[in-house]
Amino acid sequence: MSQDSPIDRRITRTKAAIREALAACVNEAGFDDLSVKDITSRAGINRGTFYLHYHDKSELMQQIQAEVILEIERIILASAPMRLADLADRVTPLPVVVCLFSYLRENAALINALLKQKGDVAFHSQIRCALERNLREVGFLAGTEPEQFQVPANYLISYVLSAHLGVLQEWLQTGCRESPEEMARILTKLSLDGPVRTMATG
Amino acid sequence: MSQDSPIDRRITRTKAAIREALAACVNEAGFDDLSVKDITSRAGINRGTFYLHYHDKSELMQQIQAEVILEIERIILASAPMRLADLADRVTPLPVVVCLFSYLRENAALINALLKQKGDVAFHSQIRCALERNLREVGFLAGTEPEQFQVPANYLISYVLSAHLGVLQEWLQTGCRESPEEMARILTKLSLDGPVRTMATG
DNA sequence: CAGATAATCAACGCGATGTCCATTAAATTT
DNA sequence: AAATTTAATGGACATCGCGTTGATTATCTG
């Protein structure tokens, strides 16, 4: 029901322990100077066991990233398809965004760990691919011709994606003090009116 | 005239070689799997010489980051102090921004290398500190009370900073095809009208 | 229960690290 | 120009983390 390939409970337990240990270790010690031994000893497993499931640290990151992105895509696809008009009409944030922030808060430690790492295996770029694909299939970019944008499409995507991930990371690193609804409102406000207008009082 | 502490030309040469080698190596092989030997052999110096100037790879990154940030601050301070009104009035981008993009393009390889790395020593966070400090001293945040913003100030800063760095990185990684003036226009447009409105045709 | 297989433990070669020293080369100072 | 200072070199060293292997034990599935 939940998984297909790993039937054995031992694998499930081990992978879960590694996953949790990774989040904890990265958040308290960073990723660069983080050895496999750090992760496994934190997870309470043998170092050799790690290599039974992953070739190295990078592959571990990539697999967990893929899992998280899959989960995010499921949340997005589960909601009603959004259109540009929906955003422009409402002042209240989209329900999807609220759902996303709820999920992200539940897995705050892990997500924060993934966002911290921007080296060779970048969560950022993987999300960008997923986002760009979804934009083409589902919504925005399909409706409007990218050539008619007032700025090149790639820069628009970079702008939005980086901005949102930056706000998300700030939220996670400051302990998720605001509610998911408030965060959705903030992002909607910023993207609709732009940061300069948002800075104006009132 | 140019430097004060390192009088010896050999130090200058060595550091410049390391700096250039770092940019080249990171851009073609990434930062995580990059050894000191890779850098030094590329720079044409002995491996031991590296440790005469830096304790390790992280310190190298931090020092170069500090140098670049200093240079950026000099460019900003050399221009007229900007105000919120200047941004809202003009459609044409600020000259400072154009100057900045020119400098960034001249050092494209190095800047791109710094932006790629988001691990323990993050260019991102260092720039954020510098930006926040400048905003308080020089411009925006000094004029307007942060409490009156429509969203918390820290999220606004995160939004703008991440968005701009994201666009900058996209520009650098795609070979700086657009001119500095065009990039300044794009960023001004996006921040003034917001990404959603910018997406509208016309 | 029996068979399958995941996890453990110890050990291995390998490469990178950071440090040290004697020597050489190049800078600055007199 | 000579003398002095000091950066750079090349080699060596112990240490550490990596990724792998094989034999053994523990645990799961059917």
Side-chain angles (χ1 to χ4, degrees):
Chain A
M1 189 129 183
S2 56
Q3 303 290 351
D4 34 354
S5 38
I7 329 170
D8 203 320
R9 304 177 194 176
R10 290 172 290 186
I11 297 180
T12 308
R13 258 191 283 123
T14 299
K15 284 197 172 182
I18 290 178
R19 185 183 170 126
E20 190 179 359
L22 176 75
C25 288
V26 170
N27 281 318
E28 73 187 22
F31 182 85
D32 296 1
D33 306 328
L34 187 65
S35 65
V36 174
K37 187 173 184 176
D38 292 334
I39 302 175
T40 54
S41 66
R42 172 82 183 221
I45 65 171
N46 193 276
R47 190 172 70 91
T49 308
F50 176 90
Y51 295 102
L52 246 48
H53 301 282
Y54 309 98
H55 284 139
D56 54 22
K57 214 171 54 170
S58 294
E59 197 186 279
L60 167 65
M61 284 295 286
Q62 284 176 341
Q63 286 198 18
I64 293 188
Q65 282 177 14
E67 291 170 20
V68 169
I69 288 179
L70 210 68
E71 190 63 30
I72 291 178
E73 283 181 330
R74 289 208 321 172
I75 295 177
I76 293 178
L77 292 178
S79 73
M82 38 179 177
R83 302 183 176 286
L84 193 52
D86 296 343
L87 252 185
D89 289 351
R90 307 188 183 196
V91 179
T92 56
L94 294 175
V96 203
V97 185
V98 179
C99 289
L100 280 176
F101 270 100
S102 298
Y103 164 75
L104 295 168
R105 186 174 59 178
E106 285 169 16
N107 305 78
L110 181 64
I111 305 288
N112 197 25
L114 293 183
L115 283 176
K116 267 189 181 177
Q117 172 58 15
K118 199 182 175 180
D120 303 344
V121 284
F123 194 43
H124 197 96
S125 59
Q126 284 208 34
I127 285 207
R128 188 196 166 113
C129 291
L131 173 69
E132 213 158 349
R133 182 158 29 85
N134 276 334
L135 284 183
R136 273 182 218 295
E137 291 174 359
V138 176
F140 302 105
L141 292 182
T144 318
E145 289 302 319
E147 297 79 17
Q148 298 179 357
F149 290 164
Q150 299 177 0
V151 306
N154 60 323
Y155 292 122
L156 202 142
I157 293 177
S158 291
Y159 187 94
V160 174
L161 180 68
S162 295
H164 284 219
L165 289 184
V167 169
L168 168 61
Q169 195 169 4
E170 172 74 13
W171 184 55
L172 293 174
Q173 282 180 352
T174 52
C176 302
R177 299 161 55 104
E178 289 82 5
S179 68
E181 289 80 9
E182 172 69 1
M183 291 311 296
R185 184 193 71 81
I186 290 175
L187 277 186
T188 305
K189 181 75 184 169
L190 280 167
S191 292
L192 272 180
D193 292 348
V196 172
R197 253 191 274 266
T198 304
M199 214 158 69
T201 61
Chain B
M1 188 129 184
S2 56
Q3 304 291 350
D4 35 351
S5 38
I7 328 172
D8 203 319
R9 304 177 194 174
R10 289 173 291 186
I11 297 180
T12 308
R13 259 190 283 122
T14 299
K15 285 197 171 182
I18 290 178
R19 184 184 171 125
E20 190 179 359
L22 175 75
C25 288
V26 169
N27 281 318
E28 72 187 23
F31 182 84
D32 296 1
D33 307 327
L34 187 65
S35 64
V36 173
K37 187 173 183 176
D38 292 333
I39 301 174
T40 54
S41 67
R42 172 83 182 219
I45 64 170
N46 193 276
R47 191 174 69 89
T49 307
F50 176 90
Y51 294 102
L52 245 49
H53 300 282
Y54 310 98
H55 284 138
D56 53 23
K57 216 170 54 170
S58 295
E59 197 185 280
L60 167 65
M61 285 295 285
Q62 285 177 341
Q63 287 199 17
I64 292 188
Q65 281 177 15
E67 291 170 21
V68 169
I69 288 179
L70 210 68
E71 191 63 30
I72 291 178
E73 284 181 328
R74 288 206 324 171
I75 295 177
I76 294 178
L77 292 179
S79 73
M82 38 178 177
R83 305 185 175 284
L84 193 53
D86 295 344
L87 254 184
D89 288 350
R90 306 191 184 194
V91 179
T92 55
L94 294 175
V96 202
V97 185
V98 179
C99 288
L100 280 175
F101 271 100
S102 298
Y103 164 75
L104 295 168
R105 185 173 59 177
E106 285 169 15
N107 304 79
L110 182 65
I111 305 289
N112 197 26
L114 294 183
L115 283 176
K116 268 190 180 175
Q117 172 58 14
K118 198 183 176 180
D120 303 343
V121 284
F123 193 44
H124 197 97
S125 58
Q126 284 208 34
I127 286 210
R128 188 195 167 112
C129 292
L131 174 68
E132 213 157 349
R133 181 159 30 85
N134 276 333
L135 284 183
R136 274 183 217 293
E137 290 175 359
V138 175
F140 303 104
L141 293 183
T144 318
E145 290 301 319
E147 297 80 17
Q148 299 179 357
F149 290 164
Q150 299 178 359
V151 304
N154 59 324
Y155 292 121
L156 202 142
I157 293 177
S158 291
Y159 188 94
V160 175
L161 180 68
S162 294
H164 284 219
L165 289 184
V167 169
L168 168 60
Q169 196 169 4
E170 171 74 12
W171 184 56
L172 294 174
Q173 281 179 352
T174 52
C176 302
R177 299 163 56 103
E178 289 81 7
S179 68
E181 289 80 9
E182 172 70 1
M183 292 310 297
R185 185 193 71 82
I186 289 176
L187 277 186
T188 305
K189 181 76 184 170
L190 281 167
S191 292
L192 272 179
D193 293 347
V196 172
R197 253 191 274 266
T198 304
M199 216 158 68
T201 60

